[in-house]
Amino acid sequence: MKKSNESLGIQLTIGILSLIAVSMLAVIIFTKTSMSPYDQARKEAISLAKANSSMKEATVFDIVNTDQTVYSVRGKTASNEDVAVLIAGGEKKDSPLDIRTINLSEGFNLDNLPDASNAKYIRLGLYKNKEVWELMDSLNNYKVYDFKTGEEV
């Protein structure tokens, strides 16, 4: 009798460990699959940004949703200037892309925006076809500021 109890215990242990391993594998596959569209969009946006501007190194990629979806890529030029490329449009298969290159030194310093010090994120995007800083503060308040003036829109 003792042997069958031990073998039952071993079988249960192997079964539980197998379930845990299968569950972990399923989570890994699900996570990898769900991140694939984001990774593809990031890769294509950075490629477009470098091809359509003087950007040599991309440092920040965001997907900004205001009144339209914009892919925002920030980075550095060969002369170490801060530059951003905003990519909008393309929602329909035949619609052209609106690609804008922006010298970040020409806009309002994002560090001087209200609530910038405790912001969860600050993103550069478009709102009503104008460049804006999109800010989410620590209280989850969503605010949009004009890129050039820093005034709330």
Side-chain angles (χ1 to χ4, degrees), residues 5-134:
N5 282 343
E6 287 178 7
S7 66
L8 180 63
I10 291 171
Q11 289 175 353
L12 283 173
T13 303
I14 291 172
I16 290 171
L17 290 175
S18 296
L19 284 174
I20 291 171
V22 168
S23 298
M24 289 175 59
L25 184 61
V27 168
I28 291 168
I29 290 170
F30 176 76
T31 303
K32 178 109 173 104
T33 305
S34 65
M35 288 300 292
S36 182
Y38 175 86
D39 291 338
Q40 184 65 27
R42 180 181 185 277
K43 182 180 174 183
E44 289 180 20
I46 290 172
S47 177
L48 277 170
K50 287 180 176 180
N52 290 283
S53 72
S54 58
M55 184 182 294
K56 296 297 176 203
E57 177 190 2
T59 55
V60 177
F61 169 75
D62 290 310
I63 299 174
V64 183
N65 294 299
T66 52
D67 61 340
Q68 61 185 310
T69 299
V70 176
Y71 297 103
S72 175
V73 182
R74 287 186 273 167
K76 301 272 186 189
T77 64
S79 58
N80 210 31
E81 293 177 27
D82 292 321
V83 66
V85 177
L86 302 178
I87 305 164
E91 287 88 15
K92 297 178 184 169
K93 190 173 185 176
D94 297 330
S95 64
L97 293 176
D98 176 11
I99 301 175
R100 301 182 192 191
T101 302
I102 300 163
N103 185 336
L104 293 176
S105 65
E106 295 174 1
F108 192 80
N109 186 335
L110 66 97
D111 293 328
N112 294 332
L113 292 173
D115 300 319
S117 60
N118 63 353
K120 286 186 178 179
Y121 66 76
I122 302 175
R123 300 174 177 155
L124 184 63
L126 294 174
Y127 179 67
K128 295 185 179 177
N129 213 27
K130 294 180 83 173
E131 294 90 7
V132 294
W133 290 114
E134 175 193 75

Side-chain angles (χ1 to χ4, degrees), residues 114-115 118-121 134-145 152:
D115 300 319
N118 63 353
K120 286 186 178 179
Y121 66 76
E134 175 193 75
L135 182 140
M136 175 73 73
D137 68 17
S138 60
L139 301 174
N140 291 332
N141 294 315
Y142 173 82
K143 297 179 181 178
V144 178
Y145 297 94
E152 190 169 356

